[in-house]
Amino acid sequence: MEKSQSEDYLKALLNENLRITTLDSRMFLGLFKCADSDCNIILAQTFEYRIPPPPKNVGKDSVTLDMTSRYLGLVVVPGEYIKKIEVEEFTSQMKKRRKPRHDIDIK
């Protein structure tokens, strides 16, 4: 993707809900405000979700784990720890668009 296309894509994402997964399995859900050349991302009105550790004495029975969350507000997610970036949309929003958005996998 060329630089001008990348800039246009990022501008289109401003104030969209992004779901960012980090290398330590945390997930941040918030409004995209900006990014810098080091791929650090700033989110506003952000919630952090953590997957709880699995119970120690689990047999063959299935166990449902609830993700714990907390409100953080304005957050900088360091680019070096980002594993995956997703745009969170409702079905009604997806139907209105012609071109599909793609999730971004950071490798």
Side-chain angles (χ1 to χ4, degrees):
M1 191 180 285
E2 292 183 28
K3 184 178 178 180
S4 63
Q5 290 175 316
S6 301
E7 289 173 354
D8 290 341
Y9 185 74
L10 283 177
K11 287 178 185 175
L13 291 178
L14 286 174
N15 293 314
E16 293 285 338
N17 281 317
L18 293 188
R19 184 182 316 132
I20 299 177
T21 305
T22 57
L23 296 175
D24 61 357
S25 299
R26 289 186 291 166
M27 184 178 68
F28 297 91
L29 178 62
L31 296 175
F32 175 63
K33 292 300 179 182
C34 69
D36 63 13
S37 60
D38 294 325
C39 297
N40 299 316
I41 295 181
I42 296 180
L43 300 175
Q45 301 175 12
T46 307
F47 284 87
E48 174 194 41
Y49 295 89
R50 291 176 180 244
I51 300 172
K56 292 183 180 182
N57 296 325
V58 177
K60 294 181 181 179
D61 298 328
S62 64
V63 176
T64 303
L65 299 174
D66 291 327
M67 294 181 76
T68 58
S69 69
R70 64 181 177 155
Y71 180 75
L72 299 176
L74 192 64
V75 172
V76 176
V77 183
E80 63 185 296
Y81 299 113
I82 295 174
K83 180 178 177 182
K84 186 175 186 179
I85 302 171
E86 302 169 283
V87 179
E88 182 161 280
E89 296 179 298
F90 296 105
T91 306
S92 60
Q93 292 171 311
M94 292 168 47
K95 289 178 183 176
K96 291 179 185 177
R97 280 189 296 101
R98 293 182 183 167
K99 290 184 179 179
R101 285 199 178 139
H102 299 286
D103 297 336
I104 303 165
D105 277 317
I106 309 297
K107 293 183 181 180

